[in-house]
Amino acid sequence: MGDPVSEPQTKIRTWRYRDWSIPKDDTLCFDAITKDAELIPEVIKHCRNPHLAIQAGGNVGVYATCLSAKFHQVLTWEPSPENFLCLRENTTCADYTFDNIFAYALS
């Protein structure tokens, strides 16, 4: 199956000392997600089994990336074509690659 969108309209934002690709039209979501993501390390330290994290609504990959610091495998889904392309780009770098991202909605 091919990419849901072939030419994403993106912009770059910086958070936690790295650049993140986000949809060009995003004016509020990235700020809200990164604010909430600051709480993830506190929450995941209470997880006893770090084998698998399931995260629905992957957005641009902020939560999935934070979860990957603790979990061996992270599954994430994102139905928005623009967000999905950013998610794929943001979760593919020299340090890690996510093989388990899906361009579908869960219901």
Side-chain angles (χ1 to χ4, degrees):
M1 185 170 153
D3 287 336
V5 176
S6 59
E7 294 295 324
Q9 297 295 315
T10 63
K11 60 186 176 184
I12 301 296
R13 292 283 304 274
T14 302
W15 179 69
R16 286 202 174 172
Y17 311 107
R18 65 166 276 199
D19 290 336
W20 294 83
S21 177
I22 66 172
K24 190 175 186 176
D25 296 337
D26 184 337
T27 57
L28 300 172
C29 193
F30 186 76
D31 291 335
I33 287 171
T34 53
K35 181 179 177 186
D36 288 346
E38 295 293 341
L39 302 173
I40 291 175
E42 182 63 27
V43 173
I44 64 176
K45 75 180 186 181
H46 300 287
C47 296
R48 293 186 182 117
N49 184 350
H51 178 69
L52 174 65
I54 298 174
Q55 191 254 327
N59 195 265
V60 299
V62 171
Y63 284 16
T65 301
C66 291
L67 292 169
S68 73
K70 169 84 174 183
F71 292 92
H72 303 291
Q73 185 178 23
V74 177
L75 303 178
T76 190
W77 288 260
E78 177 52 54
S80 162
E82 294 82 10
N83 284 343
F84 180 79
L85 288 173
C86 293
L87 169 66
R88 180 179 290 168
E89 183 175 331
N90 292 329
T91 56
T92 304
C93 71
D95 296 333
Y96 50 80
T97 299
F98 286 79
D99 295 325
N100 298 310
I101 59 173
F102 307 98
Y104 303 106
L106 295 179
S107 61

